[in-house]
Amino acid sequence: MAIELSDELIELERAAWAEQQENGLTVETAARVQAAITAHAEATEQSRYEVEMELKRVVRHAEPDTD
């Protein structure tokens, strides 16, 4: 089963990843992402762990544009 991610979840992770890259990730941002992951996993009946792994893969290891 493919892991489904919402645009909102991806944007939250992008913001957290940007903060982390600047060594400025706050507890509030990290907690907001974790809560969103948990809520999304529960709402879509997906594994929380798999949602988080896929989210990090999409945001942190995105395929480069080939256009």
Side-chain angles (χ1 to χ4, degrees):
M1 179 170 109
I3 300 298
E4 298 174 20
L5 302 172
S6 69
D7 292 339
E8 178 184 357
L9 194 55
I10 292 170
E11 288 306 312
L12 281 171
E13 179 62 22
R14 282 184 180 148
W17 182 237
E19 284 184 18
Q20 190 171 356
Q21 294 299 304
E22 297 171 359
N23 293 321
L25 180 63
T26 64
V27 172
E28 292 81 17
T29 299
R32 196 167 37 250
V33 172
Q34 291 300 310
I37 290 170
T38 300
H40 180 78
E42 289 174 358
T44 59
E45 297 181 343
Q46 299 179 95
S47 161
R48 190 208 168 287
Y49 176 74
E50 290 177 6
V51 167
E52 184 172 4
M53 284 185 46
E54 179 65 6
L55 180 61
K56 289 182 179 189
R57 186 195 67 76
V58 166
V59 171
R60 299 178 185 193
H61 306 287
E63 299 284 327
D65 289 336
T66 56
D67 295 337

